[in-house]
Amino acid sequence: MTKIGVGILGFGTVGAGVAHGLLANRDILRERTGLDIELRKIADLDISTDRGVALPPGVLTADAMRVIHDPTVQVVVELIGGTGVAKTFVCEALTAGKPVVTANKKLLAEYGAEIFALAASHNTDIYFGASVGGGIPVIRSLRDGLVGTKIETVYGILNGTCNYILTAMEQEGAPFDAVLKKAQELGFAEANPTLDVDGFDTLHKAAILAALAFGFSPDIHTLPCRGIRGTVEAQDILRAREMGYRVKLLAIIKNTPDGLELRVEPALVPAASMLGSVSGVFNAAMVKSDMDDWTLFYGRGAGRLPTAATVVGDIAEVARSLAAGTCRAVTMPKASAPVALKPLGDAVSSNYVRLSLKDAPGSLAATTSVFSKHGVSIRSAVQHGAADGFASVVLLTHDVRRADMLQALEEIRTLPCAGGEPVCLSIEEPGQ
Amino acid sequence: MTKIGVGILGFGTVGAGVAHGLLANRDILRERTGLDIELRKIADLDISTDRGVALPPGVLTADAMRVIHDPTVQVVVELIGGTGVAKTFVCEALTAGKPVVTANKKLLAEYGAEIFALAASHNTDIYFGASVGGGIPVIRSLRDGLVGTKIETVYGILNGTCNYILTAMEQEGAPFDAVLKKAQELGFAEANPTLDVDGFDTLHKAAILAALAFGFSPDIHTLPCRGIRGTVEAQDILRAREMGYRVKLLAIIKNTPDGLELRVEPALVPAASMLGSVSGVFNAAMVKSDMDDWTLFYGRGAGRLPTAATVVGDIAEVARSLAAGTCRAVTMPKASAPVALKPLGDAVSSNYVRLSLKDAPGSLAATTSVFSKHGVSIRSAVQHGAADGFASVVLLTHDVRRADMLQALEEIRTLPCAGGEPVCLSIEEPGQ
């Protein structure tokens, strides 16, 4: 039986999960691939902490270069994360002609073009199935199953921390800060939660999905990105629920005749829909293509073993290619024509709007006349109880250009009847 | 650019969809695979009917053998269906060393072992991604993404006709016969609906999933299989909904310490769960493995373009392998030890039970004493209005062996207080 040697860089949470998977499921990998996939080396600066995985002697080392250049290591698995040494090691392995498996979304979102070119120039491969969606096969599906289709829309709930917080805010009616604090205590949120709650993690993942679907590398620093901090209040989540919606932090990718929409923002989705049913730390990606109707992939977007399962799946695929003496060179597709991004102001959607208006005659009339002037058409309006002389009014709009919507709200802020800041969230209805 | 020639056998619904996909998306396939995948030949007995796809001249022929042995055809796509000539042609192509892509679940469920052995002996491949779940990547996920995991449980809603009927029965409160008739008029059910409504189509698919997950070929003729005809009444669907459940026709595959459970039957799932949210003609498969937590794949399980999308994905994968000068030989895994099927009577689940009991003192006491005798523990009971002297009593049980459950019901049928036939459906709660 052909033996394929694996070297892992980074013995943290996911690294330990992959080591566990390769050791515990070596038998099932043999049955299914006909190959003996052997864990040969693991490099980590810390070689003393117990990670709960019993390694064979001689496997653990503090020297990553020794792992990369070990002649019995044929596949290099990068699980260090970030764009520092991880980038150095990935480039070193690819330059040595060794295929790399990684779960490093930040590295790919920021340096993807460079790294894919390096892999191609050394006739080797980089696999990154776990970089988006952890245990969910969304990358594999875009790359393989949907390879012959033109992608039209992708919605992603891609950050477990945000989805946990939004779910808890709905279930407990609690404010963001309190729920975040609890999530931090439970280990569902980092001490510095910026990457998650301000949307950047989701944006990194959205960039990778867009690259796979449309064959280009977006500059993530120019993409619209709103997280769930300072944008979503518990009362909006409860109002949304009353109207049959849930609030989710969405990666939104839409191919339209006048350009590609690519952004991250909190939005309302129908509560009874598949996307609306994704709760807690679970993630999902929903894809519509010209041939397939809506498909959805759901599961744990993070975590030691789910992420490791996907990494091991990538390792098995690389091993099959190596055993067949080939490099499949499945790197990023390249669009034949430049991909134009659509300005955010041109995005069209219906919207949830919450206004605080003076509880006095004429307030609503003044407001709706501004909406009307900017072409914002209201499909429903509910006034909720007044407090301190201000009433909370929740409106749902019909489809409207984002720029028109924002101009209308800007003008409403200056009306004499206006109270606090207006809240506006788009409504996305992917159908079944 | 390397050119890969494709020949299609069968120009029906899916065949026409695949032809459309290969022609319309040849550009995107070039971008993503670096290969020029060319539709060379299509064989069908009927070469005159317009299928709405404009074919290049000379592509359509009535002679399947000419397609298989055309030296410019490197991939043979079988979309005839059934186990007659389809089997002959698949074997002919494999024997000629040409990889085959098929969506033929019946062929694989009945002759899988023979066909996979034939492919292996000629060092070529058979791809069957569209045989289960149409546009849903469940086969690909079991084969690739989850390859390094031990599968524990698979739940499948794999028949769009049944799910459409069950959804309509719930939404309209209408009886099975009326909904079936309407489904037939709308083209969602065949004139002879046996294969769908009696569960056999789901069983074929379950057998393929079990083969992929556990490396053995079950004899489908010996597997427990109940459909939705004569087993589920509208009142049970409505009672289930009142208690927070939906009724779905499930493929159930569970690996337990005392053997593999493999069956098809209608069962209750939580209405608010992902599985419970799958409505209408949509399908889903939910998988739990030792490493990945629950994952779910959802989409259209049938239909011209969704099924074709998966077939084209398989064609692209074969083309990549051919271009790399290799055969990946990803056939069925083989279990290293025999797989034991668990007798149905040993399956353990909680249950929904509806009894018709004489509306008289002592009826419920007599019944519950029988349950108690057989170790059936009741977790809730609701008595509904009586008619003609009989009351409808709905019970939910705690976990119980199927054999004990059925013995209790058998005994209750003979009680003097018993009215019509008891109804019993298992409850499956896959968690998130």
Side-chain angles (χ1 to χ4, degrees):
Chain A
M1 190 176 271
T2 306
K3 198 173 265 193
I4 301 290
V6 176
I8 298 176
L9 310 178
F11 198 33
T13 306
V14 178
V18 173
H20 165 80
L22 290 176
L23 295 170
N25 288 352
R26 191 166 171 179
D27 55 344
I28 201 109
L29 282 162
R30 275 202 204 99
E31 280 179 18
R32 293 190 185 146
T33 65
L35 302 171
D36 187 21
I37 298 174
E38 188 181 31
L39 174 58
R40 301 300 299 257
K41 289 280 172 201
I42 303 180
D44 199 289
L45 289 179
D46 170 3
I47 57 170
S48 56
T49 302
D50 180 11
R51 273 85 166 190
V53 182
L55 295 177
V59 164
L60 198 56
T61 166
D63 184 353
M65 286 297 178
R66 252 188 72 198
V67 173
I68 294 169
H69 294 290
D70 184 321
T72 70
V73 167
Q74 293 150 278
V75 183
V76 174
V77 182
E78 183 277 306
L79 298 168
I80 300 166
T83 53
V85 291
K87 181 169 181 246
T88 310
F89 294 151
V90 164
C91 294
E92 181 82 15
L94 293 175
T95 304
K98 297 197 180 181
V100 169
V101 174
T102 179
N104 192 330
K105 60 195 162 266
K106 193 158 190 285
L107 181 64
L108 294 177
E110 294 198 8
Y111 298 100
E114 177 186 341
I115 286 168
F116 294 116
L118 187 66
S121 72
H122 290 88
N123 195 31
T124 191
D125 256 346
I126 181 153
Y127 285 74
F128 48 96
S131 62
V132 179
I136 309 175
V138 56
I139 292 217
R140 197 176 277 273
S141 292
L142 286 177
R143 209 192 58 188
D144 294 337
L146 295 167
V147 67
T149 70
K150 295 194 167 101
I151 305 298
E152 295 173 354
T153 308
V154 180
Y155 289 115
I157 297 174
L158 302 174
N159 184 279
T161 303
C162 288
N163 207 49
Y164 171 86
I165 291 174
L166 292 172
T167 304
M169 285 173 75
E170 177 182 335
Q171 286 170 353
E172 300 159 22
F176 174 85
D177 290 336
V179 174
L180 171 63
K181 190 153 175 288
K182 200 175 141 198
Q184 286 169 324
E185 286 162 13
L186 291 169
F188 292 146
E190 305 281 344
N192 178 353
T194 302
L195 199 60
D196 293 319
V197 301
D198 295 329
F200 303 119
D201 174 77
T202 303
L203 188 70
H204 287 143
K205 293 167 177 168
I208 294 173
L209 295 184
L212 266 170
F214 299 103
F216 79 117
S217 291
D219 176 0
I220 54 169
H221 305 288
T222 65
L223 298 175
C225 181
R226 294 169 73 203
I228 62 169
R229 174 156 63 180
T231 56
V232 183
E233 293 182 35
Q235 59 173 309
D236 296 309
I237 292 174
L238 300 180
R239 294 297 177 220
R241 188 173 65 180
E242 287 163 9
M243 295 181 293
Y245 293 97
R246 286 213 168 89
V247 179
K248 298 289 171 193
L249 182 65
L250 292 186
I252 299 173
I253 311 174
K254 288 187 198 176
N255 196 13
T256 73
D258 40 330
L260 188 75
E261 295 181 27
L262 174 48
R263 64 181 174 275
V264 170
E265 61 185 17
L268 274 64
V269 298
S273 67
M274 294 297 291
L275 218 45
S277 304
V278 177
S279 61
V281 297
F282 279 76
N283 284 17
M286 195 159 189
V287 181
K288 169 91 174 65
S289 72
D290 67 333
M291 291 188 55
D292 216 336
D293 197 340
W294 288 106
T295 56
L296 175 137
F297 319 109
Y298 161 93
R300 281 203 183 259
R304 180 180 130 141
L305 290 181
T307 307
T310 300
V311 171
V312 173
D314 278 355
I315 293 170
E317 188 166 345
V318 175
R320 283 169 170 162
S321 294
L322 288 171
T326 178
C327 160
R328 289 178 71 227
V330 181
T331 55
M332 282 289 189
K334 274 210 184 74
S336 47
V339 175
L341 289 171
K342 186 167 163 177
L344 180 59
D346 289 340
V348 171
S349 70
S350 58
N351 298 277
Y352 162 98
V353 179
R354 178 169 53 80
L355 302 172
S356 179
L357 297 178
K358 256 189 204 139
D359 192 17
S363 284
L364 203 53
T367 311
T368 51
S369 110
V370 175
F371 279 132
S372 170
K373 183 176 126 194
H374 290 280
V376 179
S377 166
I378 306 299
R379 85 173 134 112
S380 75
V382 181
Q383 177 162 336
H384 296 280
D388 303 328
F390 285 89
S392 174
V393 177
V394 171
L395 308 153
L396 300 187
T397 76
H398 286 288
D399 277 354
V400 58
R401 273 183 72 239
R402 178 74 56 106
D404 295 334
M405 186 72 227
L406 295 179
Q407 271 172 24
L409 292 175
E410 196 53 40
E411 194 171 327
I412 286 168
R413 283 177 68 238
T414 66
L415 291 179
C417 65
E421 283 296 308
V423 170
C424 180
L425 301 169
S426 76
I427 302 174
E428 302 289 337
E429 312 224 20
Q432 270 292 342
Chain B
M1 189 176 274
T2 306
K3 199 173 263 194
I4 302 289
V6 176
I8 298 176
L9 309 179
F11 198 33
T13 306
V14 178
V18 172
H20 166 81
L22 290 176
L23 294 170
N25 288 351
R26 191 167 171 179
D27 55 343
I28 202 111
L29 283 162
R30 275 202 204 102
E31 279 179 18
R32 293 189 184 147
T33 65
L35 301 170
D36 186 20
I37 299 174
E38 188 181 30
L39 174 59
R40 301 301 297 258
K41 288 278 171 202
I42 302 179
D44 199 289
L45 289 179
D46 170 2
I47 58 169
S48 55
T49 302
D50 180 12
R51 275 84 165 189
V53 182
L55 295 178
V59 164
L60 197 56
T61 166
D63 185 352
M65 286 297 177
R66 252 187 72 196
V67 173
I68 295 169
H69 294 291
D70 184 320
T72 70
V73 166
Q74 292 151 279
V75 183
V76 174
V77 182
E78 184 277 304
L79 298 168
I80 299 166
T83 53
V85 292
K87 183 171 180 242
T88 310
F89 294 151
V90 164
C91 293
E92 181 81 14
L94 294 174
T95 305
K98 297 196 179 181
V100 169
V101 173
T102 179
N104 193 331
K105 59 196 164 271
K106 192 159 192 285
L107 181 64
L108 294 176
E110 294 198 7
Y111 299 100
E114 178 187 338
I115 286 169
F116 294 117
L118 187 66
S121 73
H122 290 89
N123 194 33
T124 190
D125 256 346
I126 182 152
Y127 285 75
F128 48 96
S131 61
V132 178
I136 311 173
V138 57
I139 293 217
R140 197 176 277 273
S141 293
L142 286 176
R143 207 191 61 188
D144 294 336
L146 296 165
V147 68
T149 70
K150 294 192 168 103
I151 304 297
E152 294 172 353
T153 308
V154 180
Y155 289 115
I157 297 174
L158 301 175
N159 184 277
T161 302
C162 289
N163 207 49
Y164 170 86
I165 291 174
L166 292 171
T167 304
M169 285 172 77
E170 177 182 335
Q171 286 172 352
E172 300 159 22
F176 174 85
D177 289 335
V179 174
L180 171 62
K181 188 151 176 289
K182 198 175 143 197
Q184 285 169 323
E185 286 163 9
L186 291 170
F188 293 147
E190 305 279 345
N192 177 352
T194 302
L195 199 61
D196 293 320
V197 301
D198 294 329
F200 304 118
D201 172 79
T202 303
L203 188 69
H204 287 143
K205 293 167 177 170
I208 294 173
L209 295 184
L212 266 171
F214 299 103
F216 80 117
S217 290
D219 176 359
I220 54 169
H221 305 288
T222 65
L223 298 174
C225 180
R226 294 169 73 203
I228 61 168
R229 174 155 66 179
T231 56
V232 183
E233 292 182 34
Q235 61 173 308
D236 296 309
I237 293 175
L238 299 179
R239 295 296 178 221
R241 188 174 65 179
E242 287 163 11
M243 295 181 294
Y245 293 97
R246 287 216 167 88
V247 179
K248 298 289 173 193
L249 182 66
L250 292 186
I252 300 174
I253 310 173
K254 288 187 197 176
N255 196 14
T256 73
D258 40 334
L260 188 74
E261 295 181 28
L262 175 48
R263 65 183 174 276
V264 171
E265 62 185 17
L268 275 64
V269 299
S273 67
M274 293 298 289
L275 218 44
S277 304
V278 178
S279 61
V281 296
F282 279 76
N283 283 18
M286 197 160 186
V287 181
K288 169 89 174 69
S289 72
D290 68 333
M291 291 188 56
D292 214 336
D293 196 337
W294 287 106
T295 56
L296 175 136
F297 318 109
Y298 161 92
R300 282 205 183 256
R304 177 180 133 142
L305 290 181
T307 307
T310 301
V311 171
V312 173
D314 278 357
I315 293 170
E317 188 165 345
V318 175
R320 282 169 170 161
S321 294
L322 287 171
T326 179
C327 160
R328 290 177 71 226
V330 181
T331 57
M332 282 288 189
K334 273 210 184 71
S336 47
V339 174
L341 287 172
K342 185 167 164 179
L344 181 59
D346 290 342
V348 171
S349 69
S350 59
N351 297 279
Y352 162 97
V353 179
R354 178 168 55 80
L355 302 171
S356 178
L357 297 177
K358 258 191 202 136
D359 193 17
S363 285
L364 203 53
T367 310
T368 52
S369 112
V370 175
F371 279 131
S372 171
K373 186 177 122 192
H374 290 279
V376 179
S377 166
I378 307 298
R379 85 172 135 113
S380 76
V382 180
Q383 177 164 334
H384 295 279
D388 303 327
F390 285 89
S392 174
V393 177
V394 171
L395 309 152
L396 301 185
T397 76
H398 286 289
D399 277 353
V400 59
R401 272 183 73 239
R402 179 74 54 104
D404 295 335
M405 187 72 228
L406 294 180
Q407 270 172 27
L409 291 176
E410 196 53 40
E411 194 170 327
I412 285 168
R413 282 179 67 237
T414 66
L415 291 178
C417 65
E421 284 296 308
V423 169
C424 180
L425 301 169
S426 76
I427 302 174
E428 302 290 337
E429 313 223 18
Q432 268 295 342

